[in-house]
């Protein structure tokens, strides 16, 4: 349900006496504005939660923190990077025991796109470290899909595109 749908539902369920001196059809704009502000405030809070979870992901890469990823990744999670698709268990293994050591990781230019209990977060993940071939600096364009259930957000799908070095 969108914020506007929720505002309409709230207004439709208000009895005329809820607005002294007004009928349901002549609801003052101030009342509508106050309700919309409350809804947007909740949405802003949810967006902040999602951005924090994305940052938790970046920090967990550095720490090889499997517990964070087990909490964030939903059962059935699917990860796609360029032409490779893997599931939750493979992602957990790569993070904990993979050949790359991430020394720094951070997100840039993230945007949250809400669709009720589903959200898509887009942005850039910038990672540096070293692996079997030596040091690396990588920049990924990402799209992560989150679903809220059981009182928490979990990521159900992620797609990363590694920007080739020559395009940076």
């Amino acid at each position: 349900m969108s914020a506007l749908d929720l505002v309409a539902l709230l207004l439709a369920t208000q009895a005329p006496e809820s607005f002294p001196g007004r009928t349901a059809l002549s609801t003052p704009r101030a009342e509508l504005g106050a309700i919309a502000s409350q809804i947007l405030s909740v949405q802003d809070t949810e967006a902040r939660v999602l951005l924090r979870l994305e940052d938790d992901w970046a920090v967990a890469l550095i720490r090889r923190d499997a517990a964070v990823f087990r909490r964030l990744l939903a059962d059935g999670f699917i990860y796609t990077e360029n032409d490779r698709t893997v599931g939750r268990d493979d992602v957990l293994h790569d993070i904990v025991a993979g050949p790359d050591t991430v020394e720094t990781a951070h997100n840039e230019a993230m945007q949250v796109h809400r669709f009720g209990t589903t959200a898509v977060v887009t942005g850039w993940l910038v990672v540096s470290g070293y692996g079997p071939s030596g040091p690396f600096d990588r920049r990924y364009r990402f799209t992560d899909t989150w679903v809220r259930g059981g009182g928490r957000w979990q990521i159900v799908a992620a797609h990363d595109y590694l920007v080739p070095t020559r395009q940076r």
Side-chain angles (χ1 to χ4, degrees), residues 79-125:
Y79 176 73
T80 304
E81 181 181 319
N82 299 332
D83 63 347
R84 181 186 116 174
T85 300
V86 297
R88 184 179 193 267
D89 292 341
D90 291 329
V91 170
L92 288 168
H93 178 267
D94 285 352
I95 289 165
V96 174
D100 290 343
T101 298
V102 176
E103 295 179 321
T104 66
H106 69 275
N107 295 305
E108 297 177 350
M110 290 189 292
Q111 293 185 330
V112 176
H113 312 270
R114 288 281 310 278
F115 304 92
T117 58
T118 302
V120 175
V121 179
T122 58
W124 293 96
L125 173 63

Side-chain angles (χ1 to χ4, degrees), residues 57-63 101-107 125-130 136-140:
W57 174 294
V59 171
L61 283 174
I62 298 166
R63 296 181 180 161
T101 298
V102 176
E103 295 179 321
T104 66
H106 69 275
N107 295 305
L125 173 63
V126 181
V127 178
S128 65
Y130 60 91
F136 61 79
D137 290 303
R138 298 177 183 149
R139 186 171 178 84
Y140 296 91

Side-chain angles (χ1 to χ4, degrees), residues 20-40:
R22 307 280 182 185
T23 67
L25 297 176
S26 63
T27 303
R29 286 187 179 264
E31 297 283 343
L32 178 61
I35 293 169
S37 293
Q38 290 172 354
I39 291 168
L40 292 175

